[in-house]
Amino acid sequence: DNPKHLVYAMKATGRSEALKPLLVSLKAGKLAADDAAAVMAMAGDAADVAQAREIADLVNDPAMTNKVVGLMDALVKAGTTRGVKPEGAEVIVKAWLESPRAEIVHRATILAGAWKVESARETLMVILTKADTLPPIRDGAVQGLSRLGGVKSRDFFDKVFKENAGLRGLAVQ
């Protein structure tokens, strides 16, 4: 029952069995800051589809506001390196793309591609081309569109980079 022991066990084994109770402990505020950071880092390596959904729910929990970046980074890692996509990914990512928090929108742009949320393509295109888009969010939109891939992304990139000299640097990422 000691969360610290579970953190050590998960670090030692790299297996996800300890993740579920650790996410419960994280939500309950029972983890020290370093243990919470370790859990979120390991979640990216170990989370399965159901655990990814739990992590997404934690991102949306107002009590977890100060952990959003670590939680979303875990989702980005799981999604981009292992293809882990939670149930309801389309609704989740589209809501995050509307967030007023830049750090959420940035990660949502990447997740839209990693999770193959085709219905977010137009939003990513708008984000990429808007003049006032913050650079990290614009970079995320490039990553998202690249991960969505296909002729639509290729043609869009060709057109944007030909027509907008200011964005050409993004083409070399």
Side-chain angles (χ1 to χ4, degrees):
D1 275 342
N2 184 339
K4 197 152 201 71
H5 292 148
L6 289 173
V7 171
Y8 291 130
M10 192 165 167
K11 280 182 182 178
T13 65
R15 296 180 55 190
S16 68
E17 287 83 5
L19 190 56
K20 186 171 182 71
L22 285 171
L23 291 174
V24 170
S25 294
L26 179 69
K27 183 175 181 173
K30 294 181 180 177
L31 297 177
D34 59 332
D35 288 338
V39 167
M40 290 183 280
M42 291 183 296
D45 292 323
D48 60 22
V49 171
Q51 292 162 335
R53 179 56 197 238
E54 289 177 46
I55 294 167
D57 290 343
L58 290 175
V59 169
N60 293 329
D61 184 335
M64 301 300 291
T65 298
N66 63 337
K67 304 265 189 295
V68 162
V69 169
L71 291 165
M72 290 191 79
D73 284 347
L75 291 171
V76 167
K77 186 174 188 182
T80 58
T81 63
R82 297 183 302 110
V84 176
K85 176 182 175 179
E87 187 176 320
E90 180 177 10
V91 172
I92 293 166
V93 85
K94 288 179 93 173
W96 288 342
L97 287 170
E98 300 297 322
S99 174
R101 293 180 60 183
E103 65 275 22
I104 291 175
V105 176
H106 170 236
R107 287 157 181 84
T109 58
I110 298 167
L111 287 169
W115 292 347
K116 302 294 186 196
V117 179
E118 182 63 37
S119 62
R121 182 183 295 274
E122 290 296 322
T123 302
L124 294 177
M125 291 174 171
V126 169
I127 288 170
L128 178 67
T129 55
K130 270 180 53 182
D132 63 345
T133 298
L134 297 172
I137 296 173
R138 182 173 280 121
D139 291 346
V142 169
Q143 289 181 53
L145 287 165
S146 295
R147 288 183 185 281
L148 278 174
V151 174
K152 288 180 185 175
S153 288
R154 185 199 64 211
D155 290 350
F156 174 74
F157 285 139
D158 286 349
K159 180 177 186 276
V160 167
F161 298 143
K162 281 179 188 164
E163 295 174 1
N164 192 328
L167 296 177
R168 285 189 192 131
L170 295 171
V172 205
Q173 288 187 359

